[in-house]
Amino acid sequence: MQSKPEPSAPDPLGESPRVIGHYIGEEPGPLVVAIGGIHGNEPAGVQALEQLFDLLKEEPRLNPGFTFRGELLALRGNLEALRVGRRYVDIDLNRIWKPYVRGTDNTFPTVEARELDGMLAAIENALEDSSAQELVLIDLHTTTATGGIFAITGDDAPSLLLAAELGVPVIKGMLSGLQGTTLSYFRSGEYDFEHPCRAITFEAGAHTDEESVDRALAATVNLLRSVGCVREEDVSTHHEETLRRAAVPVPTLLELTYVHHIDPDDRAGFTMRPGYRNFQSVEEGTIIAEDANGPIAAPCSGYILMPLYQDQGDEGFFIVAAYEGGTAY
Ligand SMILES: [Zn+2]
């Protein structure tokens, strides 16, 4: 799969506002669900998946031996928030994933509850018609800060091993720090699915960096290779190079050591000090933000991740450190 798709007309079959595409291979394999735009101000993942489907349409013509094992279902996440370019409309869609209970009256308490229902319905529909033995989920995001790219997983060995194959730093331990995320839904036993499931989140860089689209595409293509949907020889080395170019000198496996939850009553009062980047080193005691109670010091040394430089978001910053827990996987 090469890096530059030929532009092609939209295919009316299989496309909808929710579904970017549903590619069904000729050989058995996993069902890969790729999601972009769970946050509406992060369109890079959506654009990457649209490009991926353009590549898949072109591939048989350019590479007659191309085969695909399993299925790829690509979804747009928060349609309404994507339309208005906001992280969310009523509530953060990546904090409300929980076991699926659809109301009987077809009304929803929030815009995001309706979006979640639409995403889960699309996944359920694909599963009903699929013979896949495994579900693999990749959730594509970007951050307000610049700096390094990374993957986040649960602490299960299969997901960690898969994330490690992307060739970017992997952050473990996030499930205990954040509730209601896509990862926690698919990895914490909340999802009622009889088949095994591996799930990773990929953070492709800054929202506004055009290369974030290339990196999200590269990570998704590499994941398709790692899970056996596409063969090694059918994947351009361009994608590896794209990810390698964004590498920063940090350990390959890190774990969450601190998350700064913003007091919901003081949302407007939180201000991150300027200039922090993903994976910037910070010393314990350094003042890195302020809120209504005054300066906020880093409670431990480590690397800053996802410092918040936008008006929406429930966490001010994360601190991660090299994983030193022995056997990682
Ligand atoms: Zn996001």
Side-chain angles (χ1 to χ4, degrees), residues 103-126:
T104 51
D105 56 358
N106 261 346
T107 60
F108 298 96
T110 59
V111 162
E112 277 71 25
R114 188 180 67 224
E115 299 284 353
L116 179 61
D117 185 81
M119 296 180 71
L120 287 168
I123 296 170
E124 302 260 326
N125 280 344

Side-chain angles (χ1 to χ4, degrees), residues 37-42 87 92 94-95 139-143 201-203 207 306 310:
I38 277 196
H39 292 133
N41 60 338
E42 302 176 16
R87 181 177 172 92
D92 193 328
N94 204 26
R95 300 290 181 272
D139 182 17
L140 301 167
H141 289 256
T142 51
T143 56
T201 290
F202 178 69
E203 296 281 355
H207 298 332
M306 297 184 275
Q310 60 188 8

Side-chain angles (χ1 to χ4, degrees), residues 29-33 123-124 126-137 185-187 189-198:
L31 170 64
V32 176
V33 177
I123 296 170
E124 302 260 326
L127 280 172
E128 268 173 29
D129 298 333
S130 174
S131 59
Q133 300 298 302
E134 189 197 9
L135 182 68
V136 179
L137 183 114
Y185 182 80
F186 285 96
R187 280 306 323 160
E190 291 174 340
Y191 188 58
D192 181 20
F193 181 55
E194 66 233 52
H195 304 310
C197 175
R198 289 180 280 178

Side-chain angles (χ1 to χ4, degrees), residues 139-160:
D139 182 17
L140 301 167
H141 289 256
T142 51
T143 56
T144 48
T146 57
I149 60 175
F150 53 98
I152 301 172
T153 74
D155 293 345
D156 60 296
S159 296
L160 279 163

Side-chain angles (χ1 to χ4, degrees), residues 236-246:
S236 165
T237 55
H238 167 90
H239 301 298
E240 293 285 355
E241 288 155 17
T242 297
L243 295 176
R244 203 175 301 123
R245 265 203 312 277

